[in-house]
Amino acid sequence: MKAVPLSRVYLTDEVRAAAVAALNSGRYILARECSAFERELAEYVGVRHCVLVSSCTAAFLLLHHAMELGPGDEVIVPSHTAFPTVESLIHVGAKPVFVEVDDTYCIDPAAIVEAVTPRTVGIIAVHLYGQAADMERIAAIARERRLWVLEDCAQAIGARYDGRRVGGLADASAFSFYPSKNLTVLGDGGCIMTNDDRIAEQVRMLRDHGRRSKFTHELVGFNLRFNEIQAAIGRVMLRHLDELNAGRRRIAARYGARLSRVVATPIERPGAESVYHMYVVRTPDRDALATHLKTYGVETGIHYPVANHQQPAITTRFGAVRLPRTETLVNEILSLPIYGELPLEDADYVADRVIAFFESR
Ligand SMILES: *Cc1c(COP(=O)(O)O)cnc(C)c1O
């Protein structure tokens, strides 16, 4: 029997050699490799500034501090996202206002309009599963109501929207380089990107004890820095990102062609090009399908089984809200194996098993 993992990291001798070279360089924190990785990431996305930090969660925390978010502020976020999208909001005293997603699993612009109150200061658009949110409509809503917009790009590095890469489409963005993401540093890591000089400078200081020079602390900051070995790994990964993302798109096209008669397959937004961090199908028979696939060696996942507006950490602080569409979809979604180097024959094996499951019903 085959064993098809949900995902697998890209790890080659080129990656190993880069890590060893950085290890032997004698510099370990925020030195040459980090500066080069920041430059290359900014150029790749097409933004003025990239600041490396220790994770995407840290990126949001520092952005919220730089934007002076605080108690009384409300921020509109999709409930259907990873919990870290909202965690940092709560650390700075702001309130996440959860809304529904649309058919692409990204925040529903119509739901944003309904959620705005006089206390609303901003919106976090999550490019979930690798597909850009509806940024044009979100930007129009934000402009009219004088709100800022942040992009959560943790799952979407390389994805395009109207030909432009995500991460430079709003006031600032946050990325993750965690091992499961499309671009990983084989550890924790992340960055902020922005075209705003002030935000970039604030985050740059805040990540390193609020200083610009060694012994002068202009702000009370944090230690949420990045390191040389992981930057060196990330630089190699970035050179292979487009080919790995293209591999994901090939797998997604194959799954789509074969599976759309039996399950709801992902919808690509017109003008958007997803990088398929996850390949998520939807069916009311989700649990039975997952069990069937497991018996045939196919690993699956659920991203995410509990909506954020129903997480205990949220309901105990902010009370209960109802989001019926989200509450239904979390019981029907299933993530199928996908990664850049997944062989097409493995994708066909997965598709065969999914089709066989529905034919045997
Ligand atoms: C992974 C992820 C994060 C958090 O990233 P870390 O680097 O682990 O802090 C945030 N948002 C989304 C959508 C994610 O998938």
Side-chain angles (χ1 to χ4, degrees):
M1 191 177 74
K2 249 185 180 347
V4 186
L6 185 59
S7 174
R8 216 179 67 187
V9 298
Y10 177 80
L11 179 54
T12 60
D13 284 343
E14 187 191 10
V15 175
R16 293 185 186 95
V20 170
L23 181 65
N24 291 332
S25 74
R27 299 292 301 279
Y28 301 104
I29 305 285
L30 294 182
R32 273 182 46 200
E33 292 294 329
C34 288
S35 301
F37 191 29
E38 286 179 340
R39 262 196 321 276
E40 289 158 7
L41 283 165
E43 190 185 334
Y44 178 81
V45 168
V47 294
R48 289 245 291 278
H49 305 285
C50 170
V51 183
L52 287 168
V53 294
S54 57
S55 68
C56 182
T57 308
F60 276 120
L61 182 67
L62 297 180
L63 283 173
H64 298 337
H65 277 278
M67 297 165 82
E68 293 173 6
L69 200 55
D73 292 337
E74 292 182 0
V75 177
I76 299 173
V77 292
S79 175
H80 187 56
T81 180
F83 189 63
T85 303
V86 300
E87 227 171 359
S88 296
L89 289 174
I90 297 162
H91 282 303
V92 297
K95 180 185 177 189
V97 174
F98 293 103
V99 299
E100 298 274 21
V101 289
D102 63 21
D103 290 345
T104 68
Y105 302 110
C106 292
I107 193 166
D108 181 354
I112 296 175
V113 173
E114 284 173 32
V116 173
T117 77
R119 291 176 299 283
T120 308
V121 294
I123 301 162
I124 300 180
V126 183
H127 305 310
L128 201 71
Y129 305 149
Q131 166 149 251
D134 193 347
M135 294 308 287
E136 202 175 302
R137 283 176 70 197
I138 294 166
I141 294 164
R143 215 176 302 118
E144 197 174 305
R145 292 165 182 78
R146 295 174 180 282
L147 309 175
W148 47 251
V149 181
L150 295 181
E151 295 173 78
D152 182 336
C153 299
Q155 302 189 357
I157 188 161
R160 289 178 193 271
Y161 178 86
D162 268 352
R164 295 158 64 202
R165 290 222 164 86
V166 301
L169 306 173
D171 293 281
S173 57
F175 288 77
S176 173
F177 307 128
Y178 180 80
S180 68
K181 311 297 185 183
N182 290 34
L183 189 163
T184 177
V185 295
L186 303 179
D188 271 315
C191 69
I192 70 107
M193 296 213 204
T194 184
N195 289 312
D196 184 315
D197 299 345
R198 195 197 65 84
I199 291 175
E201 161 137 272
Q202 291 277 307
V203 171
R204 205 170 273 287
M205 285 198 281
L206 287 169
R207 76 171 167 183
D208 186 24
H209 304 297
R211 65 187 164 186
R212 219 183 312 242
S213 61
K214 193 159 186 186
F215 294 114
T216 308
H217 301 271
E218 293 173 43
L219 303 168
V220 175
F222 303 86
N223 173 359
L224 296 170
R225 294 178 301 233
F226 203 61
N227 69 75
E228 290 287 286
I229 296 171
Q230 289 183 297
I233 292 171
R235 293 181 68 198
V236 175
M237 297 296 197
L238 183 58
R239 294 202 285 274
H240 295 280
L241 179 62
D242 283 345
E243 93 207 23
L244 293 171
N245 279 345
R248 287 174 182 269
R249 286 183 58 78
R250 268 196 301 280
I251 297 295
R254 185 69 146 237
Y255 278 150
R258 299 207 50 204
L259 296 179
S260 60
R261 339 177 251 117
V262 289
V263 290
T265 51
I267 298 168
E268 276 210 37
R269 187 187 311 292
E273 195 178 294
S274 174
V275 291
Y276 290 97
H277 173 62
M278 295 288 170
Y279 190 89
V280 175
V281 299
R282 194 170 164 178
T283 169
D285 296 323
R286 190 266 309 275
D287 291 337
L289 174 60
T291 305
H292 170 89
L293 291 174
K294 192 173 173 199
T295 52
Y296 287 92
V298 176
E299 190 186 2
T300 60
I302 301 171
H303 304 90
Y304 300 86
V306 181
N308 285 314
H309 71 283
Q310 297 185 314
Q311 290 289 356
I314 298 299
T315 54
T316 52
R317 280 179 179 73
F318 304 108
V321 295
R322 298 306 309 272
L323 296 172
R325 275 190 275 153
T326 296
E327 288 161 27
T328 303
L329 85 84
V330 297
N331 293 318
E332 298 186 344
I333 48 175
L334 188 67
S335 308
L336 300 182
I338 195 162
Y339 55 93
E341 299 172 295
L342 180 71
L344 266 184
E345 70 236 43
D346 284 14
D348 278 331
Y349 174 79
V350 174
D352 289 343
R353 295 321 322 163
V354 173
I355 292 163
F357 168 80
F358 285 101
E359 281 174 353
S360 69
R361 304 230 101 198

